Amino acid sequence: MSKLAVEYAARLGTGSTEAAVQLEGVELAIVFRAPSIKALSGCLTADSRCAVLKSTDDADTTTHHSRLVINGTVYAPIAAVDLSMSRVSSQVVTRGVIARTIALGISPATGNLRPVIGIPPEPVLFTTYPAVIAKPASVTAITGFTPPAPGAPVDVTDATVPGGGQASLTFGGYAPPAPATTGPLDHAVLQVAHHEDGDVQSVKMSVGFPGSTCTGVDNALDVPVRPGSSGPVTDQVDLARCGLTKASQLAGLTMAHTVTAGSGGATEHLGGTRIDLLSGPLVKAAVSFDGHTSTVKQWTVLP
């Protein structure tokens, strides 16, 4: 704005020899909108292929390669980080990466012995959880889907849905597996692998258990439609918002997968479902790193 200049000019019309011009003033209106940071959403928080930070190295020469150096910490606890580089001669991230999932394809240059991802000198607290996967053991209701073959997974099947119609498949037989049988659940996430062809209006999951808020037509969970024939895409749904907070609630739990087609009809390909559970933590350890060695400063085994 320091070099802003405004020029006001008046021009006589054709045939005129004189005119009076009066300038009452010039006003500049400026609207300032404060910058804001938008929360991550969509595939950035659910799909490892949508990395919030990504670098690729597709060069086929010995002189041109992508380079990324971050002096500090990458903090993206709900997102994915995907870094690929070759012939790296320095640290890429100096104080560690915190992310939901991390994919590293970094190769050092000849003679570079330093770790490509640095660790802060302060002790780092690691917490381990006993991971448990709950899968359905039976089909309790089926409409429009091909019945699973004997001995085959009950949640891998297809459905051809006529125009304006629906197909649904209800799973049961979930059991409260050990070790996630006591105490509250820290994490309960439904994973659904699927893809669709044709005119799909909606894909929904209804989760039934005592106290569930995600049952019925109006309260069922919306699952993104994944069109295409390249294979199933895995979507994640947090079941904590449905009220699933204890492993004991898995007894009698049912999961209904429903596909509604538009007027053109659709095909649903269901590639499997599971519920990821974390209950704990089991072990906490404070670890400090010094060069190429690590020392456990303290550790605690939790019940």
Side-chain angles (χ1 to χ4, degrees), residues 169-261:
L169 189 63
T170 303
F171 307 115
Y174 295 93
T181 54
T182 61
L185 291 174
D186 298 291
H187 172 95
V189 173
L190 169 67
Q191 299 208 34
V192 184
H194 66 108
H195 72 281
E196 292 78 33
D197 297 317
D199 185 7
V200 181
Q201 180 175 320
S202 67
V203 180
K204 292 180 176 289
M205 294 292 292
S206 177
V207 187
F209 57 86
S212 173
T213 60
C214 299
T215 59
V217 177
D218 296 332
N219 298 319
L221 300 168
D222 289 311
V223 179
V225 176
R226 302 295 186 181
S229 57
S230 58
V233 176
T234 300
D235 286 304
Q236 299 185 23
V237 181
D238 187 358
L239 296 181
R241 62 178 179 172
C242 300
L244 184 61
T245 58
K246 299 179 180 179
S248 59
Q249 293 173 289
L250 291 174
L253 182 143
T254 59
M255 196 85 64
H257 183 83
T258 303
V259 180
T260 302

Side-chain angles (χ1 to χ4, degrees), residues 13-85:
T14 303
S16 300
T17 58
E18 63 179 52
V21 178
Q22 287 184 312
L23 179 63
E24 301 294 339
V26 177
E27 181 177 302
L28 178 64
I30 299 176
V31 177
F32 174 77
R33 291 182 174 87
S36 61
I37 299 176
K38 186 177 180 180
L40 297 179
S41 60
C43 72
L44 286 173
T45 61
D47 194 333
S48 60
R49 295 176 298 179
C50 298
V52 69
L53 177 62
K54 182 180 179 68
S55 70
T56 59
D57 192 354
D58 299 325
D60 57 2
T61 71
T62 58
T63 57
H64 297 91
H65 298 279
S66 64
R67 287 292 178 264
L68 172 69
V69 177
I70 298 176
N71 186 18
T73 302
V74 175
Y75 184 77
I78 63 172
V81 172
D82 185 353
L83 303 177
S84 294
M85 282 174 277

